[in-house]
Amino acid sequence: MRDPQELIDLLELPAGLIADALSAAGSFGLRVPRGYVARMTKGNPYDPLLLQVLPGAAELIDSPGYGHDPVGDLSAMPTNGLLHKYQGRALVITTGACAIHCRYCFRRHFPYSDAQASDSQWQGILDYLASDNSISEVILSGGDPLTLSDQRLERIYQTLATLPHLQRIRIHTRLPVVLPSRITDSLIELFAGNRFQSVMVIHANHAQEFDDTVGHSLAKLFGAGVTLLNQTVLLRGINDSADALAGLSETLFRHRVLPYYLHLLDKVQGGAHFDVNEAEARALTAQLRARLPGYLLPRLVREQAGAPYKLPVEY
Ligand SMILES: *Cc1c(COP(=O)(O)O)cnc(C)c1O
Ligand code: SF4
């Protein structure tokens, strides 16, 4: 669904939301799969899924300290389409396309739009990976790598398989949650039938994002031997309570997904209204620690441009 009017009508929301939604959608459009909309509650303008996708007036406010490239990605690219910030792993921007447009996204201002990495870009990426055998893990990211076709993904796996020092492929994707029908049998065959260890980091922010279709897609991935992890962004008004975060961890584990990171918001222009400050985040995670087993506690981190890893926020 790309039309704010349609979303607002379908969910029986106040018509007054439309004008702001339309103006905020101008620079970063609404995009949300219908199956995800079906998990929202009608008549609730504060629904935690709706708030992740509905453009709003707060995005148009210019906030000091918020930028267009908050994590320094544009200066960490040794070759077009590849980010190498951390030892042993390199991240490939396979495409700019996503199945959902998250209003808090730190890439919302990125220049790569919906473009896929071109063949010549891939050549540069492969040359770089081949030249550095300290890299054992390739992270496919974007955008969302699972918006690529199976054929395209298969070619990527085949070419990466020619580099003997690579051991793991990790995919960062929201599709198992926002568009579970993407986890087709042929995609599962691809994951099950290659020499790499597979890791998938799904990006779920709230327990309400899970339904039977999501459960089914995660069960297929788990069955194919994919290690499932989750990364969450701490979002004001969406999951900034111990109940919401504990509920998310419990739900993840029911689907055999382990919580990995809980990220403080990257300070992207247009996203300031989602920010939860560090003191509050620490207090929340302290509450979580008191009520969950250690393996269900995500690591609270913050990304800082130039740092050698995601910085732990101690609590
Ligand atoms: C976040 C990120 C990673 C992954 O970091 P992990 O701590 O391994 O999850 C790798 N490369 C880049 C460029 C990143 O931004
Ligand atoms: S799926 Fe990820 S990259 Fe795409 S808009 Fe959402 S947060 Fe951004």
Side-chain angles (χ1 to χ4, degrees), residues 4-282:
Q5 177 89 56
E6 189 186 354
L7 181 63
I8 287 166
D9 288 348
L10 185 89
L11 293 175
E12 297 163 13
L13 296 170
L17 291 170
I18 289 167
D20 287 339
L22 287 173
S23 47
S27 55
F28 185 55
L30 169 75
R31 184 181 292 186
V32 56
R34 286 168 196 278
Y36 190 80
V37 174
R39 294 171 230 156
M40 299 176 185
T41 309
K42 280 195 178 165
N44 179 11
Y46 304 107
D47 181 275
L49 279 57
L50 176 73
L51 291 178
Q52 293 182 53
V53 301
L54 182 68
E59 294 173 38
L60 304 170
I61 299 167
D62 199 22
S63 310
Y66 286 71
H68 285 80
D69 179 23
V71 296
D73 274 357
L74 296 178
S75 58
M77 275 197 192
T79 177
N80 207 353
L82 182 131
L83 295 169
H84 193 190
K85 291 186 187 175
Y86 308 142
Q87 192 167 346
R89 54 236 197 260
L91 183 151
V92 179
I93 294 173
T94 55
T95 170
C98 294
I100 187 167
H101 283 174
C102 314
R103 306 318 298 178
Y104 55 84
C105 180
F106 75 97
R107 293 195 168 120
R108 55 181 292 159
H109 304 289
F110 262 43
Y112 49 65
S113 70
D114 276 4
Q116 294 186 12
S118 65
D119 286 344
S120 67
Q121 222 171 305
W122 264 107
Q123 198 49 56
I125 290 167
L126 289 170
D127 291 346
Y128 183 86
L129 294 172
S131 73
D132 185 345
N133 60 18
S134 74
I135 298 172
S136 57
E137 175 170 354
V138 169
I139 300 172
L140 304 181
S141 183
D144 198 310
L146 293 189
T147 61
L148 299 172
S149 68
D150 288 356
Q151 294 88 317
R152 185 92 191 164
L153 286 167
E154 208 169 314
R155 260 182 54 207
I156 293 174
Y157 274 72
Q158 278 166 2
T159 21
L160 292 177
T162 63
L163 304 178
H165 54 280
L166 299 182
Q167 292 162 22
R168 293 187 296 280
I169 296 186
R170 180 194 332 176
I171 294 186
H172 276 255
T173 175
R174 288 206 78 183
L175 265 69
V177 172
V178 306
L179 191 64
S181 59
R182 174 66 187 93
I183 311 304
T184 57
D185 291 343
S186 58
L187 187 66
I188 291 295
E189 274 170 39
L190 171 67
F191 292 140
N194 64 73
R195 72 165 179 84
F196 294 107
Q197 288 187 286
S198 294
V199 181
M200 187 173 283
V201 184
I202 64 168
H203 291 213
N205 296 314
H206 197 279
Q208 196 185 313
E209 292 177 61
F210 293 77
D211 67 3
D212 288 349
T213 62
V214 176
H216 186 59
S217 84
L218 293 171
K220 282 163 81 173
L221 289 163
F222 187 82
V226 178
T227 297
L228 296 169
L229 304 172
N230 182 61
Q231 143 172 341
T232 303
V233 182
L234 185 55
L235 296 164
R236 164 87 51 211
I238 292 175
N239 58 16
D240 58 336
S241 70
D243 281 346
L245 294 170
L248 175 61
S249 276
E250 301 276 4
T251 304
L252 288 166
F253 192 68
R254 214 173 298 131
H255 296 288
R256 304 196 246 196
V257 184
L258 285 172
Y260 181 42
Y261 282 143
L262 175 61
H263 273 268
L264 293 183
L265 186 80
D266 294 317
K267 296 202 177 301
V268 64
Q269 196 56 253
H273 54 295
F274 288 120
D275 190 47
V276 176
N277 69 43
E278 215 172 291
E280 215 176 315
R282 274 203 213 98

